[in-house]
Amino acid sequence: MPWEVRTRQDEIRFTLVVSLIVLAASGVLRSLMLPPELAMPTLVPGAAMAVMIAAPIGWIIARRLRAVHDLSARLEHALHHDLLTGVRTRASFYEAARALEGQPCVVIVADIDHFKGFNDCHGHFAGDQALRQFATLLAGNCRGGDLVARFGGEEFVIVLRGTGADQGRAIADRLADRVRASPIYVGERSLSLTASFGVAAWTPGGDMDNAIQQADCALYRAKNSGRDRVCCHHAGPEGAAPLQAVS
């Protein structure tokens, strides 16, 4: 019996099941409590009355159960997703990342360029709009199984599952192009935006925090090299980590 009611079809099924249960219970009680000469003539009217009572009650209960489920789903989403941008929170990101352990992935750290100046110049409403659009662009250009999270302020972290370093760099380049080509509309104003990206490989058995740190270092190299670009982390021959800029 679908006690967890999620859709209109679930509501209908729930109402039908409740009506059938009440109808069957009504027939059993009638046969037990009334003599056969009274039970048979009242069978049809009694069944109709039972359904007329049960169906509205079942429908009301189904609607309440669906409302409870919808509220629970919204609370669950709010618990694991950033309220402003809709992408994952930092805590939710780490929880979901555990399911990706054991497969090669790429970590991308993305940061909006000159965001403080953008906020100061155009206002916090424009800044919020920029963050929402930036997050939507990142999530919209990733696959369903990839992770996109806001780590704080204007910094976002992406994990591309089953992806090599070269493919991850190409995706980061594409994201940078999309950001550059996507204006922010605030009222009648059209504002431009760019972002910098750091890319690092997260190898099977490796530490996620270490991969994020490597991508973050690559991001700072991108910032120091002029912004609006992608930098990749490459492990050196002696464990060093020289950074290579990719325009």
Side-chain angles (χ1 to χ4, degrees):
M1 184 172 182
W3 293 109
E4 190 172 273
V5 181
R6 301 181 179 182
T7 64
R8 173 60 70 92
Q9 288 72 25
D10 289 342
E11 292 178 353
I12 295 172
R13 283 194 291 268
F14 184 92
T15 302
L16 289 175
V17 170
V18 169
S19 299
L20 290 174
I21 291 174
V22 172
L23 182 61
S26 173
V28 172
L29 289 175
R30 180 171 287 101
S31 64
L32 293 176
M33 299 179 63
L34 296 176
E37 61 271 14
L38 291 178
M40 291 306 297
T42 60
L43 180 60
V44 174
M49 184 177 296
V51 172
M52 289 174 62
I53 295 173
I57 294 175
W59 180 254
I60 292 172
I61 294 174
R63 295 296 299 271
R64 294 288 185 180
L65 289 174
R66 185 180 177 185
V68 169
H69 175 270
D70 291 345
L71 177 60
S72 176
R74 288 196 297 270
L75 291 174
E76 184 73 14
H77 185 275
L79 182 64
H80 294 95
H81 293 78
D82 179 63
L83 294 178
L84 176 63
T85 62
V87 298
R88 289 183 178 272
T89 61
R90 182 193 292 254
S92 173
F93 169 86
Y94 279 104
E95 181 180 343
R98 286 197 291 268
L100 300 179
E101 292 179 353
Q103 59 179 300
C105 296
V106 165
V107 175
I108 300 175
V109 178
D111 188 274
I112 299 176
D113 294 330
H114 302 294
F115 185 70
K116 185 179 183 303
F118 185 94
N119 251 343
D120 294 342
C121 180
H122 303 294
H124 290 288
F125 178 82
D128 288 348
Q129 181 65 18
L131 287 170
R132 280 191 292 265
Q133 181 168 318
F134 186 62
T136 299
L137 189 149
L138 296 180
N141 285 275
C142 292
R143 298 162 298 181
D146 298 331
L147 303 181
V148 181
R150 184 186 180 192
F151 265 44
E154 66 275 22
E155 185 175 88
F156 294 77
V157 175
I158 304 168
V159 174
L160 306 173
R161 60 181 175 81
T163 304
D166 291 340
Q167 186 181 1
R169 183 182 65 188
I171 292 172
D173 278 326
R174 184 184 68 196
L175 290 172
D177 291 338
R178 294 287 174 85
V179 173
R180 194 181 305 115
S182 302
I184 307 296
Y185 293 101
V186 181
E188 298 180 353
R189 293 181 298 171
S190 175
L191 308 175
S192 61
L193 197 70
T194 63
S196 300
F197 297 81
V199 181
W202 181 31
T203 56
D207 181 67
M208 168 58 78
D209 284 328
N210 186 54
I212 293 175
Q213 184 178 16
Q214 291 173 347
D216 201 43
C217 289
L219 169 68
Y220 277 101
R221 177 65 176 272
K223 294 284 189 182
N224 293 332
S225 300
R227 294 181 170 84
D228 188 21
R229 66 188 61 203
V230 176
C231 276
C232 297
H233 175 276
H234 295 281
E238 298 179 357
L243 302 172
Q244 176 180 347
V246 182
S247 58

